[in-house]
Amino acid sequence: MDFSKGVLFDPGYSKYTVSFSQNIDAAYGVLFSIKSPHQRKFKFQMIYPQLLKLLEHTVSFYLGCLLWATYISESFQNEPKDIIGNDYLGQKVNQEQILFEVNYAMSYFDKLKKDCKYYLNKECKLPDEWLNILNVYKAFLIKNDYLVNAKTTSDIKLPQQIKAVSKKDLNLVLDKIEEVVKTGELKNLFSVINLILD
């Protein structure tokens, strides 16, 4: 990536993102349009892998945001760079609206576990780190006043859950970000999660 003119607010994730809440609502809309409980259970069985994939993709996106924030705030400490393309800069934001998607995803964990029990008659095991990522991302947004003042890389504040990252590890983070921005496989970001989170 070329940082000569500054750093991008979005390194390229947004073209792969989808609205979690809208997609979940649409899936459940289809599910609840089925009257027969037996057929509804069968339908849930069919859509369950897609629901999981959607949740994983959403969590991966939030992890990507944390990785990018860590990279840009730590890499340019001595020479802060302008942040390019921050649509939130100087805006009055509605806290509820800006946290809506992450809160929705967090609340979906319990719902999915209940639905697994009800429709599939089994325990739904979701990785603990998924919920942790959402919690840390939410803490990041709140700590940064929803990014309305993020003009330069020095304005980015990392939540305490983010570890100190070495220069070598920051380069690994950047390599992985560049790779997933090309492929769209955001879930591959999990291979560097241990560099920033315990």
Side-chain angles (χ1 to χ4, degrees), residues 124-135:
C124 170
K125 293 267 188 265
L126 296 171
D128 291 337
E129 64 185 11
W130 286 11
L131 197 53
N132 185 39
I133 289 163
L134 297 180
N135 276 310

Side-chain angles (χ1 to χ4, degrees), residues 173-198:
V173 166
L174 181 62
D175 289 347
K176 186 53 69 177
I177 290 170
E178 289 180 326
E179 176 201 306
V180 303
V181 163
K182 284 191 188 108
T183 64
E185 292 293 327
L186 298 188
K187 66 180 183 204
N188 292 343
L189 292 167
F190 279 102
S191 67
V192 291
I193 185 177
N194 62 328
L195 300 181
I196 67 162
L197 290 172
D198 283 321

Side-chain angles (χ1 to χ4, degrees), residues 5-11 14 82-89 147 150-151:
K5 293 186 177 133
V7 303
L8 293 169
F9 182 73
D10 166 33
S14 60
D82 286 337
I83 296 173
I84 304 161
N86 178 4
D87 293 336
Y88 298 107
L89 189 63
L147 302 163
K151 266 187 197 160

Side-chain angles (χ1 to χ4, degrees), residues 92-132:
K92 273 198 164 75
V93 296
N94 178 314
Q95 181 182 334
E96 223 169 276
Q97 277 180 329
I98 215 157
L99 292 176
F100 178 79
E101 284 292 321
V102 69
N103 282 336
Y104 192 103
M106 288 166 82
S107 67
Y108 187 63
F109 276 72
D110 281 340
K111 177 163 178 49
L112 187 57
K113 285 176 182 174
K114 282 177 191 158
D115 288 347
C116 276
K117 241 180 175 147
Y118 179 74
Y119 291 113
L120 305 177
N121 206 17
K122 69 174 192 183
E123 291 286 332
C124 170
K125 293 267 188 265
L126 296 171
D128 291 337
E129 64 185 11
W130 286 11
L131 197 53
N132 185 39

Side-chain angles (χ1 to χ4, degrees), residues 3-194:
F3 298 119
S4 57
K5 293 186 177 133
V7 303
L8 293 169
F9 182 73
D10 166 33
Y13 301 139
S14 60
K15 59 180 176 259
Y16 303 115
T17 56
V18 292
S19 166
F20 181 73
S21 59
Q22 284 176 11
N23 279 278
I24 291 294
D25 288 350
Y28 277 86
V30 170
L31 189 68
F32 292 131
S33 69
I34 299 165
K35 297 283 179 267
S36 156
H38 177 71
Q39 285 180 328
R40 198 182 278 182
K41 282 187 177 185
F42 181 71
K43 184 66 179 175
F44 187 85
Q45 204 172 351
M46 303 278 288
I47 64 170
Y48 175 65
Q50 293 160 284
L51 297 174
L52 262 187
K53 201 172 174 188
L54 184 60
L55 185 56
E56 179 185 51
H57 187 79
T58 300
V59 172
S60 302
F61 168 71
Y62 291 130
L63 171 59
C65 295
L66 291 172
L67 286 163
W68 183 238
T70 302
Y71 178 79
I72 65 173
S73 72
E74 297 293 297
S75 296
F76 305 110
Q77 279 183 337
N78 300 331
E79 219 177 296
K81 299 269 183 191
D82 286 337
I83 296 173
I84 304 161
N86 178 4
D87 293 336
Y88 298 107
L89 189 63
Q91 299 294 315
K92 273 198 164 75
V93 296
N94 178 314
Q95 181 182 334
E96 223 169 276
Q97 277 180 329
I98 215 157
L99 292 176
F100 178 79
E101 284 292 321
V102 69
N103 282 336
Y104 192 103
M106 288 166 82
S107 67
Y108 187 63
F109 276 72
D110 281 340
K111 177 163 178 49
L112 187 57
K113 285 176 182 174
K114 282 177 191 158
D115 288 347
C116 276
K117 241 180 175 147
Y118 179 74
Y119 291 113
L120 305 177
N121 206 17
K122 69 174 192 183
E123 291 286 332
C124 170
K125 293 267 188 265
L126 296 171
D128 291 337
E129 64 185 11
W130 286 11
L131 197 53
N132 185 39
I133 289 163
L134 297 180
N135 276 310
V136 175
Y137 179 73
K138 185 175 174 178
F140 165 74
L141 281 182
I142 292 167
K143 186 164 189 163
N144 285 278
D145 288 326
Y146 312 103
L147 302 163
V148 297
N149 302 311
K151 266 187 197 160
T152 73
T153 51
S154 62
D155 296 325
I156 300 290
K157 301 177 201 80
L158 299 176
Q160 61 185 31
Q161 298 96 318
I162 303 268
K163 299 194 289 194
V165 187
S166 70
K167 183 108 181 80
K168 179 175 162 260
D169 286 348
L170 284 171
N171 289 332
L172 291 174
V173 166
L174 181 62
D175 289 347
K176 186 53 69 177
I177 290 170
E178 289 180 326
E179 176 201 306
V180 303
V181 163
K182 284 191 188 108
T183 64
E185 292 293 327
L186 298 188
K187 66 180 183 204
N188 292 343
L189 292 167
F190 279 102
S191 67
V192 291
I193 185 177
N194 62 328

